[in-house]
Structures are given as C-alpha cells and as structure tokens.
Amino acid sequence: MTVLLPPMTEHPEQTLKRALALIGDGRLEDALALLAPLAARHPGVPAAVINHGELLRRLGRFDEAVAVLEKAVARLPDLPVARFNLALALRGAGRLEDALAVYREALRRQPDHGDGWYNQGNTLLDSGRDEEAVASYRRALQHLPPARQPRTLNNLGSALILLRRPTEAAAPLRDALALAPDYADAHLNLAVANERQGQMASAAAGYRRVSALRPDHWWHELHADLLCPDVFDDNAAIDAWQDGYAATLARWRDRPGQLDPAHLHHSGAEPPPTLMYQGRADLAVKSAHADLLAPRLPDYQPPAARTGGDRRRIGMVVNHGHEGIFIRSVLGLLPRLDRQRFEIVVAVTRPALDRTRAALGEDGITWLALDPRVDQAAAQLRAARLDLLYHWEVGSDSFNYFLPWLRPAPLQYTSWAWPLTTGIPAMDFFLSSDLVEPADAAHRYRENLITMPGNMFTWTTPPEPPSRPPTRGDFGLPERANLYLCAQNPRKIHPDFDPLVAAILERDPLGRVLLIGSQEGAETAPLRRRLQRRLGPLAERITLLPRQSRQRYLGLLGLADVVLDPPHYSGANTSYDALGLALPLITLPSPLLRGHFTAGLYGRMGLNGLIARDPDHYVDLAVALATDPALRAHWRDTLRQHNGALFHDERAVRELEDAWERMLGDG
C-alpha cells in the first residue's frame, strides 16, 4: 500500500481535502495515513477529528473510532455530528445500549435530524426492539426529503415483517419503490411481505425482479421457483407440489452459479419450511436439495477438535424469531446440567440476545452475541472453540439452515425443535427418543440418529392455570356445546384432519370444533375456505379464534371438553400444556417424529387409551369423551394421577448428558 504523507508546508485544509478525495476514491487506508497525523496535530479542528473517527469506523476499527469520537464529543459537546458518529461507532463495536444512550442525547439536542432517527432505528432493530425501531423510522420520515426516504421506508417495512405484520409492511415498501423503482432491497422485502400474506404470484414476481437487478443473486429466482402454499386444499395438491419440487431441483441441477456466504442469511435458497407440514417423509427431497446446493458453496472443513481442558464445551445456537420456544424448552435443563463435565455456551443472534439472556440468566452460562450474517456468526462460533454445537432449529429460515454448512464446530447436531432430517451432509447427528421413533427410524435421517431411552427432550414444569379462568362467553362460545379444541397453528391442520372433523360433527350435533389462527394471518383464510369447501354446512360449527396470549390460551384449554391432535404433526409444548392440565388429548400417531410427540408423552406416562389406532377410532374416542361426562372425568382423574411423569423429569437431564458423551465419543 502506498502511504501518502502531506508535505510539511501543506496547509491543514489542503491535507483534509486530499484525504476526503481519497475517501471518495475508496482509498481508505491512504486517507487514514493523512487524517491520523492531521487529527493528532489539530485536535481542536472538528473536521479533522470527526473524519478521522468516521474513517476508522468505516474500516471496521470500531474501538479506535469510539476512542477518537468520545474525545471529540468531550471537546465539542455542542457539535451534533460528533455524537451521531460516535453512536454509529458504538453500534459497530456491538455496544448497542451505549449507542442508544448517545442517540437519545443527540436527538434531544437536534430532534429534526432525520439520519439520526434512521440510524437509531437500525440500532433498535439490532437490539430486538422492533416496535421502537418502527417508531424511530417513522420519525426519520418526518425529517427526510423524499429523495432520501427509500432506505428508511425499506427498513420500516423490514421491521414490520419482523413483527409479523406483513400487510402493514407492504405500504412503506411500495412507497420506497415509487421513489426508487430499482431498489433491490425494497423489492426483496416486498416479496417477503407478499409471501407472508400468501400472495405467491406477486412474491414470485418480486423475487425474480431482485435476480434481474442483481444477476449474481440468482438464488432469489430459485426461491421463486420453490414457493410453497402454507395450506393445501387436499392430498392431491400436496403430491402435485412435491412432483413440481422434484422437477425444479432437477432443472436447476446443472445451472451455473455459486452461493455467496455473505448473503446466505437472507438468500431463501433453503428447502421450503412448509415441507414440515405436508405429512410426507422428507429424506429424499431434503437430500436432493442439499446435493443441489453443495457444489455451490465453499468446501468448509470442520475445525480441529479442541485438546486439553477438564470440561467439554457444548454450544447451543438459536437465532432471532425462534428464541421463545427455545427459552421455554431449555429453561429447566440448563441449571441442572453437570458443570463439572460440561461448559455451556449459549449463542444467540444479537436482536434476540437480551430477551434470551434475561430469561435464562447468567449462572454457569457463557453468552455469545452472534452477528446476523451467517458467515460472520460461523466465524464467531469457530473462535469459541466448541466441542459440540446444538442447532436449535435447522431449516425454519435461511440463517439456521445454512449455519451448519459452514461447519462452526467439530461436531454438530440438531433435534426435535424442527422435527425432520436436515438433509445436510455436514450435520453429524439427530437426537431423538425411543418414545417417538420406531425401531427402523434411522433410514429416515441423513444424520446419524441417536435416541434417548426414556425422556421427551426437556425438563419442564406443569402449566399454571389462570387465576381468573375465562368463561365461554369471553370467547363468544355457546354454553350448551361440546367443545373440541385443536390448538395447533393452521399450517399443521393437514387435509387429512378435515374428514376427522366432519365425522365428529356429524356424530355429535352439539359439537363445535375450535381452531386457532396464525399470528400473521396468511394461513387462516385459505384454511377457512378449504374447510367450507370440503365440509359444507358442517363448517359453520368450526370457529377459528385469533391467536391468544399465554394466559388466555391456558384458559381456553380449560374450557375444552376434548383436545385434538391433527394427524401427521402432533402437539409438543401444547401437549405438555393439555396433559399438564389433565385434559384428555386424542392423538393419531404417525411413524414420523413430528407426528408422534403426543403418543410419546402417553408412553412416558404408561397410558395408551387415548392413542387412536386409525381414523375411525380417533373419531370414536373424541365423541365418546365429549358426550360422556363420566368418561371424561375418569380420564381427567387418570391423567392427574400419571402426568407427574412428564414434569420435573431428571432423566431428561441425565440422558441428554449421556447422549452428548456418545456424540463426543466419550460414552
């Protein structure tokens, strides 16, 4: 690199101009060679010092930038740009709360600073404070001229998508595109918003537009080809889509193009997550998809196994948007793990860190804040020198699907949170349970299948019913009705559930089936249309309730006469809830893990009377329980006597530790 030093006789203003010209040409290191000595010789000259700090920030030398800009703020407390640049540097250094404190003060002093509100919004988004980010972006729009609004409108739309409000997100994204028609990021976010609303044709057009604007980002066209409905009309539609999926993979197999690791986290090149809900075995298609991607990614080798140390270092990784169930599922496990044998590292993408850390605490846990970019997160995990990494979910989004490909640990595994094979050759193990897997289950997994003998994955406590239980009237439900509740999200309501519901309603004239809609709402309308088409007048006795708070949901459970599992994808945490409240839960197990959870819980309790043998038996059990109060009371008493086996289960801890030792070769 050529270092350009100013002539001794050059005026400071001339040196500053030369440095700014170099910055404009992208020669940042050369510019720094001019600015650093200039700022040192003239610490009272704002332009020299502030540009020096900003240049250090742009070079990624965030701690140095913070040090320079903190001194600038101390010397020039009334200069807003120094505070705003300091906040940017603090954000880059990962000091988000410090950055937000600086933004608050800077915006108090200059409340009409549109860029300040925009950048504060970005920092709030990094912190997982999405609602506050939305408010900050809206304030920014009040102070920015139209020509400078597109990026703020785009980020506002992105924040609303994260808040699962895609319908609301579409408006600012369209406004951004009206101002900047070729703005690829806004096209991408609008495509995501349309997909989340179930508007697949519009979503596909948007993804193809992004690929046209950025030809090297071909993966968005692949994603357009693989768009999948959330709710299918019938099994024939599922089969037709799966045939189309296989044909698409074959058509793409010989097309050129590499995947850029820097963009994997929002590539959409992973298998469609809705495969989970189709009731089919997934190994062949998931493996075919992985085999399409493998030659398009760098060949990541696992890091060398760690040597020395008395304890094995176990990592657990979860990304933003998935931390809620993760918290619930590991909350009881983490304090009970043997810290003499295992060091626990919980790695969370930065927007989810504060919530997860506050819920799980500090005791015996090493916390790692991950960059939302999957390649950067993988580098951080490699630097943590883990022995074994547990991926909470693999395949529910681009980040968690591609992270295992980058081999962030010598050994890695996943388990029941996204209960199907990943199909990824880099995933070493899938951890399951003998309670939910048949003897020949290994052939359904690309990973090495390891099973625990006697537990259902987690240590948990029984649910606490609400102190003031709601009434049927609180939900608009009739008093004189037999209530059959299926509390699963609409994606789990497989077409094979429809004839079961129809038979129940035909057999029980007082029967009413309760379903719960999705958080984003896109799945609710097509499910309602399908039920109306397939069930006719009987669909009038199906109520689709909105999503409920935790306490209202538990209160709703308490009002049900019978709880129903849908076929192919049973409840898991919801089954713990129902059985913990001693509510009869009818299940029709499938050979696949995701269709066998509830049957596994019954196996743990030593009960099988509510496990249906076939669809007719399922209907018989449901109607008998709903219409016979004495039978219902018998089963509630039976569940109260046996459901203690599901909770405070120390075997869940010991068997997990034993499984880790088997994976590590220590057992």
Side-chain angles (χ1 to χ4, degrees):
M1 181 188 72
T2 303
V3 178
L4 301 177
L5 294 176
M8 294 299 293
T9 58
E10 184 174 85
H11 192 277
E13 187 175 335
Q14 294 174 305
T15 303
L16 179 60
K17 285 182 179 179
R18 285 213 299 143
L20 295 177
L22 289 167
I23 292 172
D25 291 339
R27 296 169 59 185
L28 303 186
E29 292 287 356
D30 287 347
L32 183 63
L34 294 176
L35 275 176
L38 182 67
R41 288 198 302 270
H42 301 281
V45 177
V49 176
I50 291 169
N51 278 293
H52 178 214
E54 173 61 9
L55 186 52
L56 288 166
R57 183 189 73 83
R58 289 180 59 181
L59 286 165
R61 294 161 62 173
F62 299 114
D63 292 336
E64 295 173 71
V66 167
V68 168
L69 291 165
E70 282 180 336
K71 291 177 181 176
V73 169
R75 290 194 191 99
L76 305 160
D78 296 323
L79 191 65
V81 67
R83 293 182 190 275
F84 287 119
N85 284 14
L86 172 58
L88 285 170
L90 287 165
R91 179 194 176 203
R95 295 168 56 183
L96 301 183
E97 289 304 317
D98 291 338
L100 289 171
V102 174
Y103 276 124
R104 282 192 292 271
E105 177 59 20
L107 290 166
R108 185 188 68 79
R109 291 167 175 262
Q110 192 174 352
D112 61 349
H113 197 285
D115 286 332
W117 288 108
Y118 165 77
N119 287 315
Q120 178 183 256
N122 293 340
T123 308
L124 288 164
L125 213 59
D126 287 349
S127 304
R129 293 154 68 170
D130 301 337
E131 287 283 12
E132 294 176 68
V134 166
S136 198
Y137 291 137
R138 293 196 192 282
R139 286 291 297 271
L141 292 170
Q142 296 173 16
H143 304 292
L144 290 169
R148 294 179 55 217
Q149 288 184 0
R151 65 175 185 169
T152 304
L153 290 163
N154 175 66
N155 286 18
L156 171 59
S158 180
L160 290 166
I161 290 170
L162 288 171
L163 286 165
R164 301 190 176 186
R165 288 149 57 182
T167 304
E168 189 179 348
L173 293 167
R174 292 193 184 100
D175 289 344
L177 291 170
L179 293 167
D182 292 337
Y183 188 6
D185 286 346
H187 279 291
L188 179 57
N189 276 325
L190 182 57
V192 172
N194 285 328
E195 183 180 355
R196 298 282 180 86
Q197 296 174 78
Q199 299 170 5
M200 296 304 181
S202 297
Y207 290 122
R208 296 187 201 285
R209 175 71 169 148
V210 177
S211 281
L213 290 168
R214 294 174 174 166
D216 54 332
H217 289 198
W218 54 268
W219 45 82
H220 296 301
E221 185 179 351
L222 172 63
H223 185 76
D225 286 351
L226 294 176
L227 286 173
C228 180
D230 291 304
V231 174
F232 282 92
D233 281 343
D234 49 34
N235 277 296
I238 295 174
D239 291 337
W241 183 88
Q242 291 227 341
D243 290 344
Y245 183 20
T248 296
L249 294 178
R251 188 171 66 251
W252 274 85
R253 192 168 296 126
D254 297 324
R255 290 183 59 168
Q258 296 299 112
L259 283 160
D260 183 351
H263 295 283
L264 288 175
H265 58 293
H266 53 56
S267 66
E270 69 277 3
T274 43
L275 275 175
M276 177 72 72
Y277 307 102
Q278 294 178 15
R280 309 296 196 264
D282 308 291
L283 176 60
V285 71
K286 293 292 287 296
S287 296
H289 196 122
D291 293 343
L292 169 69
L293 299 177
R296 302 167 191 270
L297 285 163
D299 183 18
Y300 291 95
Q301 295 300 310
R306 195 167 61 96
T307 58
D310 297 328
R311 298 185 298 165
R312 291 295 203 157
R313 187 173 296 158
I314 310 296
M316 299 181 177
V317 61
V318 63
N319 64 314
H320 185 34
H322 310 284
E323 67 272 18
I325 302 299
F326 172 78
I327 290 167
R328 178 177 175 183
S329 299
V330 304
L331 182 61
L333 280 172
L334 288 178
R336 292 170 173 81
L337 294 168
D338 186 349
R339 293 307 200 274
Q340 300 300 313
R341 296 158 64 197
F342 302 105
E343 176 187 355
I344 305 300
V345 178
V346 179
V348 187
T349 49
R350 196 177 294 125
L353 178 65
D354 288 347
R355 176 190 177 190
T356 311
R357 194 169 189 166
L360 299 181
E362 303 284 343
D363 186 26
I365 300 174
T366 300
W367 288 93
L368 180 58
L370 293 181
D371 194 285
R373 254 180 57 174
V374 69
D375 58 328
Q376 300 286 3
Q380 291 173 274
L381 287 164
R382 280 178 169 256
R385 301 291 311 279
L386 303 168
D387 295 305
L388 175 67
L389 179 60
Y390 172 32
H391 296 261
W392 168 245
E393 290 183 2
V394 179
S396 54
D397 61 31
S398 294
F399 180 99
N400 62 39
Y401 177 77
F402 281 105
L403 182 61
W405 285 89
L406 276 59
R407 270 293 183 184
L411 293 168
Q412 46 189 352
Y413 82 98
T414 190
S415 188
W416 64 278
W418 200 245
L420 76 170
T421 181
T422 68
I424 298 171
M427 184 61 73
D428 299 294
F429 304 102
F430 193 103
L431 179 63
S432 190
S433 169
D434 289 338
L435 292 169
V436 293
E437 299 283 4
D440 63 345
H443 77 275
R444 295 192 175 93
Y445 294 90
R446 191 166 190 173
E447 307 83 359
N448 294 306
L449 179 65
I450 290 182
T451 56
M452 298 176 289
N455 77 83
M456 284 294 288
F457 307 110
T458 189
W459 190 103
T460 190
T461 59
E464 289 282 344
S467 56
R468 294 184 178 180
T471 66
R472 292 187 173 199
D474 291 330
F475 293 96
L477 300 173
E479 292 296 328
R480 192 169 174 268
N482 299 322
L483 298 183
Y484 301 79
L485 171 64
C486 179
Q488 307 307 314
N489 82 63
R491 289 179 173 181
K492 289 188 179 183
I493 308 301
H494 191 276
D496 286 345
F497 189 55
D498 302 355
L500 301 177
V501 170
I504 288 169
L505 294 175
E506 286 172 347
R507 293 261 303 272
D508 181 1
L510 294 178
R512 182 177 288 268
V513 173
L514 308 180
L515 305 176
I516 296 179
S518 64
Q519 187 164 345
E520 292 176 297
E523 303 95 335
T524 306
L527 176 60
R528 182 181 287 111
R529 288 193 297 269
R530 187 186 85 196
L531 293 169
Q532 290 169 341
R533 179 178 63 82
R534 300 189 78 195
L535 273 68
L538 291 173
E540 295 175 7
R541 286 192 279 140
I542 299 175
T543 299
L544 265 162
L545 295 165
R547 292 271 294 190
Q548 307 292 316
S549 68
R550 172 75 176 162
Q551 284 301 297
R552 277 183 64 83
Y553 150 70
L554 291 174
L556 178 64
L557 272 178
L559 295 173
D561 295 300
V562 182
V563 183
L564 302 176
D565 255 349
H568 306 302
Y569 202 149
S570 71
N573 283 306
T574 53
S575 296
Y576 273 105
D577 292 333
L579 298 173
L581 294 172
L583 301 174
L585 169 57
I586 310 301
T587 190
L588 180 62
S590 83
L592 302 173
L593 165 60
R594 59 187 179 272
H596 212 98
F597 282 118
T598 302
L601 292 175
Y602 278 128
R604 181 73 180 86
M605 291 187 288
L607 302 173
N608 60 17
L610 299 180
I611 302 174
R613 297 184 300 272
D614 54 41
D616 289 341
H617 188 214
Y618 182 100
V619 174
D620 290 343
L621 288 171
V623 173
L625 278 162
T627 58
D628 186 340
L631 180 63
R632 195 161 60 246
H634 161 76
W635 273 106
R636 287 187 169 175
D637 288 342
T638 301
L639 289 169
R640 287 188 192 98
Q641 293 167 18
H642 291 83
N643 64 8
L646 304 180
F647 303 102
H648 305 161
D649 183 7
E650 291 302 321
R651 278 200 290 185
V653 182
R654 303 287 83 82
E655 290 186 11
L656 175 61
E657 293 175 336
D658 291 346
W660 286 348
E661 291 192 336
R662 290 164 64 192
M663 294 180 206
L664 291 162
D666 298 337

